[in-house]
Short mmCIF file of all heavy atoms in Angstrom, two decimals:
data_model
loop_
_atom_site.label_atom_id
_atom_site.label_comp_id
_atom_site.label_asym_id
_atom_site.label_seq_id
_atom_site.Cartn_x
_atom_site.Cartn_y
_atom_site.Cartn_z
N MET A 130 -9.02 2.31 19.93
CA MET A 130 -8.00 2.24 18.88
C MET A 130 -6.79 1.49 19.41
O MET A 130 -6.40 1.65 20.55
CB MET A 130 -7.58 3.65 18.47
CG MET A 130 -8.70 4.51 17.89
SD MET A 130 -9.34 3.89 16.35
CE MET A 130 -8.32 4.73 15.19
N GLU A 131 -6.21 0.70 18.55
CA GLU A 131 -4.99 0.01 18.93
C GLU A 131 -3.88 0.37 17.96
O GLU A 131 -4.13 0.76 16.82
CB GLU A 131 -5.20 -1.50 19.00
CG GLU A 131 -5.38 -2.20 17.67
CD GLU A 131 -5.50 -3.70 17.84
OE1 GLU A 131 -6.63 -4.17 18.04
OE2 GLU A 131 -4.46 -4.39 17.77
N ARG A 132 -2.66 0.26 18.43
CA ARG A 132 -1.49 0.56 17.61
C ARG A 132 -1.09 -0.69 16.85
O ARG A 132 -1.02 -1.78 17.41
CB ARG A 132 -0.36 1.01 18.51
CG ARG A 132 0.82 1.57 17.74
CD ARG A 132 1.87 2.05 18.67
NE ARG A 132 3.04 1.21 18.41
CZ ARG A 132 4.14 1.24 19.08
NH1 ARG A 132 4.26 2.02 20.12
NH2 ARG A 132 5.15 0.49 18.75
N VAL A 133 -0.81 -0.50 15.57
CA VAL A 133 -0.39 -1.59 14.71
C VAL A 133 0.93 -1.17 14.06
O VAL A 133 0.99 -0.14 13.40
CB VAL A 133 -1.45 -1.89 13.62
CG1 VAL A 133 -0.99 -3.04 12.73
CG2 VAL A 133 -2.80 -2.19 14.24
N ASP A 134 1.96 -1.97 14.26
CA ASP A 134 3.26 -1.70 13.65
C ASP A 134 3.37 -2.50 12.36
O ASP A 134 3.15 -3.72 12.36
CB ASP A 134 4.40 -2.05 14.60
CG ASP A 134 4.40 -1.17 15.85
OD1 ASP A 134 4.13 0.03 15.70
OD2 ASP A 134 4.65 -1.69 16.94
N VAL A 135 3.69 -1.82 11.27
CA VAL A 135 3.79 -2.46 9.96
C VAL A 135 5.08 -2.02 9.28
O VAL A 135 5.69 -1.02 9.67
CB VAL A 135 2.57 -2.12 9.07
CG1 VAL A 135 1.27 -2.61 9.71
CG2 VAL A 135 2.49 -0.64 8.76
N THR A 136 5.44 -2.75 8.24
CA THR A 136 6.60 -2.41 7.43
C THR A 136 6.16 -2.34 5.98
O THR A 136 5.54 -3.27 5.46
CB THR A 136 7.72 -3.45 7.60
OG1 THR A 136 8.07 -3.53 8.98
CG2 THR A 136 8.95 -3.08 6.79
N ILE A 137 6.48 -1.22 5.34
CA ILE A 137 6.19 -1.03 3.93
C ILE A 137 7.47 -0.58 3.25
O ILE A 137 8.07 0.42 3.65
CB ILE A 137 5.07 0.01 3.71
CG1 ILE A 137 3.78 -0.43 4.42
CG2 ILE A 137 4.82 0.22 2.21
CD1 ILE A 137 2.69 0.61 4.40
N LEU A 138 7.88 -1.33 2.26
CA LEU A 138 9.10 -1.04 1.50
C LEU A 138 10.30 -0.87 2.43
O LEU A 138 11.12 0.03 2.27
CB LEU A 138 8.90 0.19 0.61
CG LEU A 138 9.83 0.31 -0.59
CD1 LEU A 138 9.68 -0.87 -1.54
CD2 LEU A 138 9.60 1.61 -1.32
N GLY A 139 10.35 -1.72 3.46
CA GLY A 139 11.48 -1.70 4.37
C GLY A 139 11.45 -0.63 5.45
O GLY A 139 12.37 -0.55 6.26
N ARG A 140 10.41 0.18 5.47
CA ARG A 140 10.30 1.23 6.49
C ARG A 140 9.19 0.87 7.47
O ARG A 140 8.14 0.38 7.07
CB ARG A 140 9.99 2.58 5.85
CG ARG A 140 11.17 3.07 5.01
CD ARG A 140 11.03 4.49 4.60
NE ARG A 140 10.98 5.35 5.79
CZ ARG A 140 10.79 6.65 5.75
NH1 ARG A 140 10.62 7.24 4.59
NH2 ARG A 140 10.77 7.37 6.84
N ASN A 141 9.44 1.13 8.73
CA ASN A 141 8.47 0.82 9.78
C ASN A 141 7.52 1.99 10.00
O ASN A 141 7.94 3.14 10.01
CB ASN A 141 9.18 0.48 11.09
CG ASN A 141 10.04 -0.75 10.94
OD1 ASN A 141 9.68 -1.70 10.27
ND2 ASN A 141 11.20 -0.74 11.57
N TYR A 142 6.25 1.66 10.19
CA TYR A 142 5.22 2.65 10.46
C TYR A 142 4.37 2.16 11.62
O TYR A 142 4.09 0.96 11.73
CB TYR A 142 4.31 2.86 9.24
CG TYR A 142 5.04 3.39 8.04
CD1 TYR A 142 5.61 2.53 7.11
CD2 TYR A 142 5.18 4.76 7.84
CE1 TYR A 142 6.28 3.02 6.00
CE2 TYR A 142 5.85 5.26 6.73
CZ TYR A 142 6.41 4.38 5.82
OH TYR A 142 7.08 4.87 4.74
N SER A 143 3.95 3.07 12.45
CA SER A 143 3.05 2.76 13.54
C SER A 143 1.71 3.42 13.22
O SER A 143 1.63 4.64 13.07
CB SER A 143 3.61 3.30 14.85
OG SER A 143 2.78 2.94 15.92
N LEU A 144 0.68 2.60 13.08
CA LEU A 144 -0.63 3.08 12.67
C LEU A 144 -1.65 2.79 13.77
O LEU A 144 -1.43 1.91 14.60
CB LEU A 144 -1.07 2.39 11.38
CG LEU A 144 -0.07 2.44 10.23
CD1 LEU A 144 -0.53 1.55 9.09
CD2 LEU A 144 0.14 3.86 9.76
N ALA A 145 -2.74 3.51 13.75
CA ALA A 145 -3.81 3.27 14.72
C ALA A 145 -5.07 2.86 13.98
O ALA A 145 -5.40 3.41 12.92
CB ALA A 145 -4.08 4.52 15.54
N CYS A 146 -5.77 1.87 14.52
CA CYS A 146 -7.03 1.45 13.95
C CYS A 146 -7.83 0.71 15.01
O CYS A 146 -7.28 0.30 16.04
CB CYS A 146 -6.83 0.58 12.72
SG CYS A 146 -6.13 -1.04 13.05
N SER A 147 -9.10 0.52 14.73
CA SER A 147 -9.92 -0.25 15.65
C SER A 147 -9.64 -1.73 15.44
O SER A 147 -9.10 -2.14 14.40
CB SER A 147 -11.40 0.04 15.40
OG SER A 147 -11.79 -0.47 14.14
N ALA A 148 -10.03 -2.54 16.40
CA ALA A 148 -9.82 -3.99 16.30
C ALA A 148 -10.55 -4.56 15.08
O ALA A 148 -10.04 -5.48 14.42
CB ALA A 148 -10.29 -4.67 17.58
N GLU A 149 -11.71 -4.00 14.76
CA GLU A 149 -12.48 -4.48 13.61
C GLU A 149 -11.79 -4.16 12.28
O GLU A 149 -11.94 -4.87 11.31
CB GLU A 149 -13.89 -3.86 13.60
CG GLU A 149 -14.73 -4.21 14.81
CD GLU A 149 -14.44 -3.32 16.02
OE1 GLU A 149 -14.07 -2.15 15.85
OE2 GLU A 149 -14.57 -3.84 17.14
N GLU A 150 -11.08 -3.05 12.24
CA GLU A 150 -10.41 -2.61 11.01
C GLU A 150 -9.05 -3.28 10.80
O GLU A 150 -8.51 -3.23 9.69
CB GLU A 150 -10.20 -1.10 11.03
CG GLU A 150 -11.47 -0.29 11.00
CD GLU A 150 -11.21 1.19 11.22
OE1 GLU A 150 -10.35 1.54 12.06
OE2 GLU A 150 -11.87 1.98 10.54
N LYS A 151 -8.50 -3.88 11.83
CA LYS A 151 -7.13 -4.39 11.76
C LYS A 151 -6.90 -5.40 10.63
O LYS A 151 -5.92 -5.25 9.88
CB LYS A 151 -6.72 -4.99 13.11
CG LYS A 151 -5.27 -5.41 13.16
CD LYS A 151 -4.88 -5.89 14.54
CE LYS A 151 -3.44 -6.35 14.58
NZ LYS A 151 -3.05 -6.81 15.92
N PRO A 152 -7.75 -6.41 10.44
CA PRO A 152 -7.50 -7.34 9.33
C PRO A 152 -7.47 -6.66 7.97
O PRO A 152 -6.62 -6.97 7.13
CB PRO A 152 -8.66 -8.34 9.43
CG PRO A 152 -9.13 -8.25 10.84
CD PRO A 152 -8.91 -6.82 11.24
N THR A 153 -8.38 -5.71 7.76
CA THR A 153 -8.41 -4.99 6.48
C THR A 153 -7.17 -4.12 6.33
O THR A 153 -6.58 -4.05 5.24
CB THR A 153 -9.68 -4.14 6.38
OG1 THR A 153 -10.82 -4.99 6.53
CG2 THR A 153 -9.76 -3.40 5.05
N LEU A 154 -6.76 -3.46 7.39
CA LEU A 154 -5.55 -2.64 7.35
C LEU A 154 -4.33 -3.49 7.02
O LEU A 154 -3.53 -3.12 6.16
CB LEU A 154 -5.34 -1.92 8.68
CG LEU A 154 -4.02 -1.15 8.81
CD1 LEU A 154 -3.95 -0.02 7.79
CD2 LEU A 154 -3.85 -0.63 10.21
N LEU A 155 -4.19 -4.64 7.66
CA LEU A 155 -3.04 -5.51 7.40
C LEU A 155 -3.05 -6.04 5.97
O LEU A 155 -2.00 -6.14 5.33
CB LEU A 155 -2.99 -6.64 8.42
CG LEU A 155 -2.69 -6.21 9.85
CD1 LEU A 155 -2.78 -7.40 10.80
CD2 LEU A 155 -1.33 -5.53 9.96
N ALA A 156 -4.23 -6.34 5.45
CA ALA A 156 -4.34 -6.78 4.05
C ALA A 156 -3.94 -5.65 3.11
O ALA A 156 -3.24 -5.87 2.12
CB ALA A 156 -5.76 -7.26 3.76
N ALA A 157 -4.36 -4.43 3.42
CA ALA A 157 -3.99 -3.28 2.60
C ALA A 157 -2.49 -3.03 2.63
O ALA A 157 -1.87 -2.73 1.60
CB ALA A 157 -4.74 -2.03 3.07
N VAL A 158 -1.89 -3.18 3.80
CA VAL A 158 -0.44 -3.01 3.94
C VAL A 158 0.28 -4.04 3.06
O VAL A 158 1.22 -3.70 2.32
CB VAL A 158 0.00 -3.13 5.41
CG1 VAL A 158 1.51 -3.30 5.52
CG2 VAL A 158 -0.46 -1.90 6.19
N ARG A 159 -0.15 -5.29 3.12
CA ARG A 159 0.49 -6.33 2.30
C ARG A 159 0.34 -6.01 0.82
O ARG A 159 1.28 -6.14 0.03
CB ARG A 159 -0.12 -7.70 2.60
CG ARG A 159 0.39 -8.33 3.86
CD ARG A 159 -0.05 -9.79 4.01
NE ARG A 159 -1.50 -9.94 4.04
CZ ARG A 159 -2.25 -9.82 5.12
NH1 ARG A 159 -1.69 -9.54 6.28
NH2 ARG A 159 -3.56 -9.98 5.04
N TYR A 160 -0.85 -5.57 0.43
CA TYR A 160 -1.13 -5.26 -0.97
C TYR A 160 -0.25 -4.11 -1.48
O TYR A 160 0.38 -4.22 -2.54
CB TYR A 160 -2.61 -4.91 -1.11
CG TYR A 160 -3.09 -4.79 -2.53
CD1 TYR A 160 -3.31 -5.91 -3.30
CD2 TYR A 160 -3.35 -3.54 -3.09
CE1 TYR A 160 -3.77 -5.81 -4.61
CE2 TYR A 160 -3.80 -3.42 -4.38
CZ TYR A 160 -4.01 -4.56 -5.14
OH TYR A 160 -4.45 -4.44 -6.43
N VAL A 161 -0.20 -3.04 -0.70
CA VAL A 161 0.61 -1.87 -1.09
C VAL A 161 2.09 -2.23 -1.10
O VAL A 161 2.82 -1.87 -2.03
CB VAL A 161 0.32 -0.68 -0.14
CG1 VAL A 161 1.35 0.42 -0.31
CG2 VAL A 161 -1.09 -0.15 -0.39
N ASP A 162 2.55 -2.96 -0.09
CA ASP A 162 3.95 -3.35 -0.03
C ASP A 162 4.33 -4.20 -1.23
O ASP A 162 5.38 -3.98 -1.84
CB ASP A 162 4.23 -4.09 1.28
CG ASP A 162 5.72 -4.31 1.52
OD1 ASP A 162 6.52 -3.37 1.30
OD2 ASP A 162 6.09 -5.43 1.95
N GLN A 163 3.48 -5.14 -1.61
CA GLN A 163 3.76 -5.99 -2.79
C GLN A 163 3.86 -5.14 -4.05
O GLN A 163 4.77 -5.34 -4.87
CB GLN A 163 2.69 -7.05 -2.94
CG GLN A 163 2.76 -8.14 -1.90
CD GLN A 163 1.56 -9.08 -1.94
OE1 GLN A 163 0.60 -8.87 -2.70
NE2 GLN A 163 1.62 -10.11 -1.13
N HIS A 164 2.94 -4.20 -4.22
CA HIS A 164 2.99 -3.32 -5.39
C HIS A 164 4.27 -2.49 -5.40
O HIS A 164 4.93 -2.36 -6.44
CB HIS A 164 1.78 -2.37 -5.41
CG HIS A 164 0.60 -2.91 -6.14
ND1 HIS A 164 0.46 -2.83 -7.50
CD2 HIS A 164 -0.51 -3.54 -5.69
CE1 HIS A 164 -0.68 -3.38 -7.87
NE2 HIS A 164 -1.29 -3.82 -6.78
N MET A 165 4.61 -1.93 -4.25
CA MET A 165 5.80 -1.08 -4.17
C MET A 165 7.07 -1.89 -4.43
O MET A 165 7.97 -1.44 -5.14
CB MET A 165 5.86 -0.38 -2.82
CG MET A 165 4.76 0.65 -2.65
SD MET A 165 4.82 1.53 -1.09
CE MET A 165 6.12 2.73 -1.45
N LEU A 166 7.13 -3.09 -3.89
CA LEU A 166 8.30 -3.95 -4.12
C LEU A 166 8.42 -4.34 -5.59
O LEU A 166 9.53 -4.41 -6.14
CB LEU A 166 8.24 -5.19 -3.23
CG LEU A 166 8.48 -4.94 -1.75
CD1 LEU A 166 8.12 -6.18 -0.93
CD2 LEU A 166 9.92 -4.52 -1.50
N ARG A 167 7.28 -4.57 -6.24
CA ARG A 167 7.30 -4.91 -7.67
C ARG A 167 7.83 -3.74 -8.48
O ARG A 167 8.66 -3.92 -9.39
CB ARG A 167 5.89 -5.29 -8.12
CG ARG A 167 5.85 -5.92 -9.49
CD ARG A 167 4.48 -6.42 -9.91
NE ARG A 167 3.80 -7.12 -8.83
CZ ARG A 167 2.58 -6.81 -8.38
NH1 ARG A 167 1.90 -5.81 -8.91
NH2 ARG A 167 2.02 -7.48 -7.41
N ILE A 168 7.38 -2.53 -8.18
CA ILE A 168 7.84 -1.35 -8.90
C ILE A 168 9.33 -1.13 -8.63
O ILE A 168 10.11 -0.87 -9.55
CB ILE A 168 7.01 -0.11 -8.52
CG1 ILE A 168 5.59 -0.27 -9.07
CG2 ILE A 168 7.65 1.17 -9.04
CD1 ILE A 168 4.61 0.77 -8.57
N GLN A 169 9.74 -1.26 -7.38
CA GLN A 169 11.14 -1.10 -7.03
C GLN A 169 12.00 -2.14 -7.75
O GLN A 169 13.07 -1.83 -8.27
CB GLN A 169 11.32 -1.24 -5.52
CG GLN A 169 12.75 -1.03 -5.05
CD GLN A 169 12.89 -1.29 -3.56
OE1 GLN A 169 12.45 -2.34 -3.07
NE2 GLN A 169 13.49 -0.35 -2.85
N GLY A 170 11.50 -3.36 -7.82
CA GLY A 170 12.24 -4.44 -8.46
C GLY A 170 12.37 -4.28 -9.96
O GLY A 170 13.26 -4.87 -10.58
N SER A 171 11.50 -3.49 -10.58
CA SER A 171 11.60 -3.28 -12.02
C SER A 171 12.85 -2.50 -12.39
O SER A 171 13.31 -2.55 -13.52
CB SER A 171 10.36 -2.53 -12.54
OG SER A 171 10.42 -1.16 -12.17
N GLY A 172 13.38 -1.74 -11.40
CA GLY A 172 14.59 -0.97 -11.64
C GLY A 172 14.36 0.32 -12.40
O GLY A 172 15.30 1.08 -12.64
N LYS A 173 13.12 0.60 -12.79
CA LYS A 173 12.83 1.80 -13.57
C LYS A 173 12.59 3.02 -12.70
O LYS A 173 12.71 4.14 -13.17
CB LYS A 173 11.62 1.56 -14.47
CG LYS A 173 11.84 0.48 -15.51
CD LYS A 173 10.60 0.24 -16.31
CE LYS A 173 10.82 -0.89 -17.29
NZ LYS A 173 9.61 -1.23 -18.02
N VAL A 174 12.22 2.81 -11.45
CA VAL A 174 11.92 3.90 -10.53
C VAL A 174 12.78 3.69 -9.29
O VAL A 174 12.78 2.61 -8.70
CB VAL A 174 10.43 3.92 -10.13
CG1 VAL A 174 10.12 5.09 -9.23
CG2 VAL A 174 9.55 3.96 -11.38
N SER A 175 13.53 4.72 -8.88
CA SER A 175 14.47 4.51 -7.78
C SER A 175 14.07 5.15 -6.46
O SER A 175 14.29 4.57 -5.41
CB SER A 175 15.86 5.00 -8.18
OG SER A 175 15.80 6.37 -8.52
N SER A 176 13.47 6.33 -6.49
CA SER A 176 13.18 6.99 -5.22
C SER A 176 11.89 6.43 -4.60
O SER A 176 10.94 6.10 -5.30
CB SER A 176 13.06 8.51 -5.39
OG SER A 176 11.79 8.86 -5.89
N ASN A 177 11.89 6.34 -3.28
CA ASN A 177 10.72 5.82 -2.58
C ASN A 177 9.50 6.68 -2.83
O ASN A 177 8.38 6.19 -2.90
CB ASN A 177 11.00 5.70 -1.08
CG ASN A 177 11.90 4.54 -0.76
OD1 ASN A 177 12.25 3.75 -1.62
ND2 ASN A 177 12.29 4.44 0.49
N GLU A 178 9.70 7.99 -2.96
CA GLU A 178 8.58 8.88 -3.22
C GLU A 178 7.93 8.56 -4.56
O GLU A 178 6.70 8.46 -4.66
CB GLU A 178 9.04 10.33 -3.21
CG GLU A 178 7.92 11.33 -3.45
CD GLU A 178 8.40 12.76 -3.42
OE1 GLU A 178 9.35 13.07 -2.66
OE2 GLU A 178 7.83 13.57 -4.16
N ARG A 179 8.73 8.36 -5.58
CA ARG A 179 8.19 8.04 -6.91
C ARG A 179 7.54 6.66 -6.90
O ARG A 179 6.52 6.44 -7.55
CB ARG A 179 9.27 8.14 -7.98
CG ARG A 179 9.67 9.58 -8.25
CD ARG A 179 10.64 9.72 -9.39
NE ARG A 179 10.17 9.20 -10.65
CZ ARG A 179 9.37 9.84 -11.51
NH1 ARG A 179 8.93 11.05 -11.21
NH2 ARG A 179 9.02 9.29 -12.65
N ILE A 180 8.13 5.72 -6.18
CA ILE A 180 7.54 4.39 -6.05
C ILE A 180 6.17 4.49 -5.39
O ILE A 180 5.21 3.86 -5.83
CB ILE A 180 8.47 3.45 -5.25
CG1 ILE A 180 9.73 3.14 -6.06
CG2 ILE A 180 7.74 2.15 -4.87
CD1 ILE A 180 10.82 2.43 -5.27
N ALA A 181 6.06 5.32 -4.35
CA ALA A 181 4.77 5.51 -3.67
C ALA A 181 3.74 6.14 -4.60
O ALA A 181 2.57 5.72 -4.62
CB ALA A 181 4.97 6.36 -2.42
N VAL A 182 4.15 7.13 -5.38
CA VAL A 182 3.22 7.78 -6.30
C VAL A 182 2.76 6.81 -7.39
O VAL A 182 1.56 6.72 -7.70
CB VAL A 182 3.85 9.05 -6.93
CG1 VAL A 182 3.01 9.58 -8.09
CG2 VAL A 182 4.05 10.11 -5.87
N MET A 183 3.69 6.05 -7.95
CA MET A 183 3.33 5.08 -8.98
C MET A 183 2.38 4.02 -8.41
O MET A 183 1.42 3.62 -9.07
CB MET A 183 4.58 4.42 -9.57
CG MET A 183 5.50 5.39 -10.30
SD MET A 183 4.69 6.31 -11.63
CE MET A 183 4.26 5.00 -12.74
N THR A 184 2.64 3.58 -7.20
CA THR A 184 1.76 2.60 -6.55
C THR A 184 0.38 3.19 -6.33
O THR A 184 -0.64 2.54 -6.59
CB THR A 184 2.37 2.13 -5.22
OG1 THR A 184 3.63 1.52 -5.48
CG2 THR A 184 1.46 1.14 -4.52
N ALA A 185 0.32 4.42 -5.84
CA ALA A 185 -0.97 5.08 -5.61
C ALA A 185 -1.76 5.18 -6.90
O ALA A 185 -2.98 4.93 -6.92
CB ALA A 185 -0.76 6.45 -4.99
N LEU A 186 -1.10 5.51 -7.99
CA LEU A 186 -1.78 5.61 -9.28
C LEU A 186 -2.30 4.26 -9.74
O LEU A 186 -3.42 4.16 -10.26
CB LEU A 186 -0.85 6.22 -10.33
CG LEU A 186 -0.54 7.70 -10.13
CD1 LEU A 186 0.57 8.14 -11.09
CD2 LEU A 186 -1.78 8.54 -10.32
N GLN A 187 -1.51 3.21 -9.56
CA GLN A 187 -1.95 1.87 -9.95
C GLN A 187 -3.16 1.43 -9.14
O GLN A 187 -4.15 0.92 -9.69
CB GLN A 187 -0.82 0.86 -9.79
CG GLN A 187 0.23 0.96 -10.85
CD GLN A 187 1.30 -0.11 -10.69
OE1 GLN A 187 1.23 -0.97 -9.81
NE2 GLN A 187 2.31 -0.07 -11.54
N VAL A 188 -3.09 1.62 -7.83
CA VAL A 188 -4.19 1.20 -6.96
C VAL A 188 -5.45 2.04 -7.25
O VAL A 188 -6.56 1.50 -7.30
CB VAL A 188 -3.77 1.28 -5.48
CG1 VAL A 188 -4.95 1.04 -4.56
CG2 VAL A 188 -2.67 0.26 -5.20
N ALA A 189 -5.27 3.34 -7.47
CA ALA A 189 -6.42 4.19 -7.81
C ALA A 189 -7.04 3.75 -9.14
O ALA A 189 -8.27 3.72 -9.28
CB ALA A 189 -5.99 5.66 -7.88
N GLY A 190 -6.21 3.41 -10.10
CA GLY A 190 -6.71 2.91 -11.38
C GLY A 190 -7.51 1.63 -11.22
O GLY A 190 -8.57 1.46 -11.84
N GLU A 191 -7.01 0.71 -10.37
CA GLU A 191 -7.74 -0.52 -10.11
C GLU A 191 -9.10 -0.22 -9.47
O GLU A 191 -10.12 -0.80 -9.85
CB GLU A 191 -6.93 -1.43 -9.18
CG GLU A 191 -5.68 -1.99 -9.82
CD GLU A 191 -4.77 -2.70 -8.82
OE1 GLU A 191 -5.18 -2.89 -7.66
OE2 GLU A 191 -3.65 -3.05 -9.21
N LEU A 192 -9.11 0.69 -8.51
CA LEU A 192 -10.35 1.06 -7.83
C LEU A 192 -11.35 1.67 -8.81
O LEU A 192 -12.53 1.31 -8.82
CB LEU A 192 -10.06 2.03 -6.69
CG LEU A 192 -11.27 2.58 -5.95
CD1 LEU A 192 -12.03 1.46 -5.25
CD2 LEU A 192 -10.86 3.64 -4.97
N LEU A 193 -10.88 2.58 -9.64
CA LEU A 193 -11.77 3.23 -10.60
C LEU A 193 -12.31 2.24 -11.62
O LEU A 193 -13.47 2.32 -12.03
CB LEU A 193 -11.05 4.38 -11.30
CG LEU A 193 -10.73 5.57 -10.39
CD1 LEU A 193 -9.85 6.58 -11.13
CD2 LEU A 193 -12.01 6.22 -9.89
N THR A 194 -11.50 1.27 -12.00
CA THR A 194 -11.96 0.23 -12.92
C THR A 194 -13.07 -0.60 -12.29
O THR A 194 -14.08 -0.91 -12.94
CB THR A 194 -10.79 -0.69 -13.33
OG1 THR A 194 -9.81 0.10 -14.00
CG2 THR A 194 -11.25 -1.80 -14.24
N LEU A 195 -12.92 -0.91 -11.02
CA LEU A 195 -13.94 -1.68 -10.30
C LEU A 195 -15.24 -0.89 -10.12
O LEU A 195 -16.32 -1.47 -10.12
CB LEU A 195 -13.43 -2.13 -8.93
CG LEU A 195 -12.33 -3.19 -8.94
CD1 LEU A 195 -11.80 -3.40 -7.53
CD2 LEU A 195 -12.88 -4.50 -9.52
N LYS A 196 -15.11 0.42 -9.95
CA LYS A 196 -16.28 1.27 -9.71
C LYS A 196 -16.97 1.71 -11.00
O LYS A 196 -18.08 2.24 -10.94
CB LYS A 196 -15.85 2.50 -8.92
CG LYS A 196 -15.44 2.20 -7.49
CD LYS A 196 -14.97 3.41 -6.77
CE LYS A 196 -16.13 4.33 -6.43
NZ LYS A 196 -15.75 5.46 -5.58
N ALA A 197 -16.33 1.52 -12.14
CA ALA A 197 -16.88 2.00 -13.41
C ALA A 197 -18.17 1.25 -13.74
O ALA A 197 -18.25 0.03 -13.58
CB ALA A 197 -15.86 1.79 -14.52
N PRO A 198 -19.18 1.99 -14.20
CA PRO A 198 -20.43 1.32 -14.60
C PRO A 198 -20.19 0.46 -15.84
O PRO A 198 -19.40 0.82 -16.71
CB PRO A 198 -21.38 2.48 -14.90
CG PRO A 198 -20.51 3.65 -15.16
CD PRO A 198 -19.22 3.42 -14.39
N GLU A 199 -20.88 -0.64 -15.88
CA GLU A 199 -20.70 -1.56 -17.04
C GLU A 199 -21.76 -1.37 -18.06
O GLU A 199 -22.82 -0.97 -17.87
CB GLU A 199 -20.71 -3.00 -16.52
CG GLU A 199 -19.53 -3.24 -15.63
CD GLU A 199 -19.47 -4.69 -15.16
OE1 GLU A 199 -20.07 -5.56 -15.80
OE2 GLU A 199 -18.81 -4.94 -14.16
#
């Protein structure tokens, strides 16, 4: 496992992952950070906790849409 330092919504986090997982982790960090910044920029949600919850719901909705049988 290696340590990966990332920034999400202006806060620094130190995460651990394998070398194989690192590119996927960094892509996920960018994706989540972009979503959180978009929600923050809308001005409708102010607390970081609420921004995180709204982002989680959006990402979960996207995942469920992709997994839904056609």
